[in-house]
């Protein structure tokens, strides 16, 4: 047989088979990081150009921090913790440095972190002297046999673990104090500014974390959804990683983060459709305001809110990056 004559025919068959199989499928991103800085009544008029720029710059910095971790081969857990710390260290957000004041003039912070590979999780609530509650949540997850620690016990554990504790004066910001005084005078609507992050790393592992100062003027040491696994935070390699923000009582009652994951696992809904069912249907019918961000195991991103705006953004391994605030931004 003439091998030279056979070769063109063989190549033709290969090309024909490629044509029948259709265009090549796009490869999923190697890693994805998505964040939020709270949802609520956010308008261009309320923010103004200068403050809007500050928020966009800080969200961008947070994304860059997480991307740097992931691009170096870091884990999703590392990326989530370091990203949230950037927002906790900023007075712009209701977490860490910018935490709102309770009815008693104190700062009571909550945070949680979950590993989608192992379903291990850590959370803290009612903390008033730990600089970065998200790092304490990670210590609870990795260095204790518990999932959630509260108040003075959480602070004692933080000191044992060598985390940075600070005097309560560190958390004082004039605008948060003024917001409490305004609330006490007018009984105005609560403001939300919880921060969160979800990530998919190059090893296929998901993680999510959330950190908050809670509601302005909260009483009786109220705890919201942010430190509650399945309500404000959830991650599973079988489905997705989610961080929520909004009126925590509703997110607790409807176990929002876990319900979205369950709809994907058991009803085989897409990430977007599962989130839409919970955020824009169940919560709206119940009167719950808020939103969520997340990434699924395939690298698909969802950033969804039933409020006028949500501070949010994402970055992917292919370089695509976006920061948004208002509801009319795609």
């Amino acid at each position: 047989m003439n091998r030279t004559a056979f070769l063109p025919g063989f190549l033709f068959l290969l090309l024909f088979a490629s044509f029948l199989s259709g265009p090549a499928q796009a490869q999923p991103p190697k890693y994805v990081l998505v964040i939020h800085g709270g949802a609520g009544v956010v308008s261009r008029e309320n923010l103004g150009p200068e403050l809007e720029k500050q928020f966009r710059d800080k969200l961008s910095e947070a994304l860059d921090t997480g991307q740097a971790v992931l691009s170096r081969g870091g884990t999703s857990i590392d990326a989530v913790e370091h990203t949230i710390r950037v927002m906790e260290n900023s007075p712009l957000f209701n977490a860490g440095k910018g935490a709102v004041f309770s009815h008693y003039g104190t700062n009571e912070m909550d945070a949680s972190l979950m590993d989608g590979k192992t379903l291990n999780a850590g959370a803290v609530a009612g903390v008033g002297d730990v600089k970065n509650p998200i790092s304490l949540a990670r210590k609870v997850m990795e260095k204790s046999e518990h999932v959630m620690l509260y108040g003075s016990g959480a602070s004692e554990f933080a000191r044992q673990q060598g985390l940075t504790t600070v005097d309560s004066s560190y958390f004082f910001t004039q605008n948060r104090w003024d917001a409490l005084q305004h609330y006490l005078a007018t009984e105005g609507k609560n403001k939300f500014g919880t921060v969160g992050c979800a990530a998919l790393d190059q090893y296929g592992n998901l993680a999510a974390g959330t950190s908050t100062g809670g509601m302005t003027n909260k009483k009786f040491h109220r705890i919201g959804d942010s430190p509650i696994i399945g309500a404000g935070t959830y991650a599973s390699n079988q489905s997705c990683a989610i961080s929520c923000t909004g009126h925590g009582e509703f997110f607790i009652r409807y176990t929002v983060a876990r319900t979205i994951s369950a709809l994907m696992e058991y009803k085989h809904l897409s990430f977007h459709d599962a989130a839409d069912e919970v955020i824009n249907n169940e919560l709206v019918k119940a009167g719950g305001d808020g939103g969520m961000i997340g990434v699924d195991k395939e690298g698909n991103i969802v950033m969804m809110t039933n409020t006028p705006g949500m501070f949010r953004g994402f970055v992917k391994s292919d370089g695509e990056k976006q920061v948004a605030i208002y509801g009319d931004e795609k």
Side-chain angles (χ1 to χ4, degrees), residues 49-298:
E50 183 177 344
L51 188 55
E52 177 182 324
K53 183 178 185 304
Q54 291 179 32
F55 273 109
R56 291 186 186 274
D57 288 348
K58 188 57 64 174
L59 290 169
S60 182
E61 179 187 342
L63 290 172
D64 290 344
T65 298
Q67 183 181 33
V69 172
L70 293 172
S71 66
R72 293 195 301 264
T75 66
S76 53
I77 286 288
D78 289 335
V80 168
E81 179 191 4
H82 284 83
T83 299
I84 289 179
R85 283 171 64 103
V86 171
M87 294 185 283
E88 284 181 336
N89 291 340
S90 169
L92 291 171
F93 303 100
N94 177 19
K97 175 65 175 174
V100 299
F101 286 92
S102 73
H103 181 74
Y104 314 104
T106 57
N107 306 104
E108 301 173 5
M109 293 163 286
D110 310 325
S112 63
L113 187 67
M114 187 167 185
D115 183 347
K117 180 180 180 180
T118 63
L119 300 188
N120 199 9
V124 294
V127 175
D129 60 354
V130 177
K131 183 179 180 181
N132 292 111
I134 193 65
S135 295
L136 179 53
R138 181 171 184 176
K139 290 292 187 182
V140 173
M141 179 178 74
E142 296 179 342
K143 302 296 183 180
S144 83
E145 66 271 35
H146 308 300
V147 171
M148 182 185 290
L149 299 181
Y150 172 78
S152 60
S155 295
E156 180 182 353
F157 181 73
R159 288 189 288 272
Q160 290 181 5
Q161 295 299 314
L163 294 181
T164 302
T165 57
V166 292
D167 183 80
S168 59
S169 61
Y170 167 81
F171 300 104
F172 181 89
T173 59
Q174 191 64 50
N175 67 316
R176 296 301 192 190
W177 182 255
D178 292 343
L180 172 63
Q181 306 314 307
H182 177 74
Y183 188 101
L184 294 173
T186 64
E187 286 296 313
K189 296 185 69 174
N190 291 302
K191 303 298 182 184
F192 311 121
T194 298
V195 304
C197 178
L200 171 69
D201 62 31
Q202 62 182 278
Y203 314 108
N205 295 319
L206 293 162
T210 310
S211 182
T212 189
M215 287 182 168
T216 297
N217 194 46
K218 60 184 176 182
K219 301 176 183 178
F220 312 116
H221 306 297
R222 172 261 188 191
I223 297 171
D225 66 303
S226 295
I228 298 178
I229 301 303
T233 302
Y234 193 76
S236 170
N237 280 8
Q238 301 304 310
S239 55
C240 60
I242 293 173
S243 175
C244 300
T245 174
H247 195 156
E249 279 67 16
F250 290 91
F251 282 75
I252 294 171
R253 294 182 189 124
Y254 288 84
T255 56
V256 167
R258 172 56 184 160
T259 297
I260 293 172
S261 173
L263 287 172
M264 297 173 67
E265 292 181 46
Y266 305 132
K267 296 193 72 174
H268 307 293
L269 296 187
S270 70
F271 191 19
H272 177 275
D273 289 349
D276 185 57
E277 170 62 24
V278 178
I279 300 297
N280 292 322
N281 187 16
E282 287 191 2
L283 279 185
V284 169
K285 288 179 179 177
D289 294 333
M292 54 71 67
I293 56 91
V295 56
D296 70 11
K297 62 183 181 179
E298 305 297 335

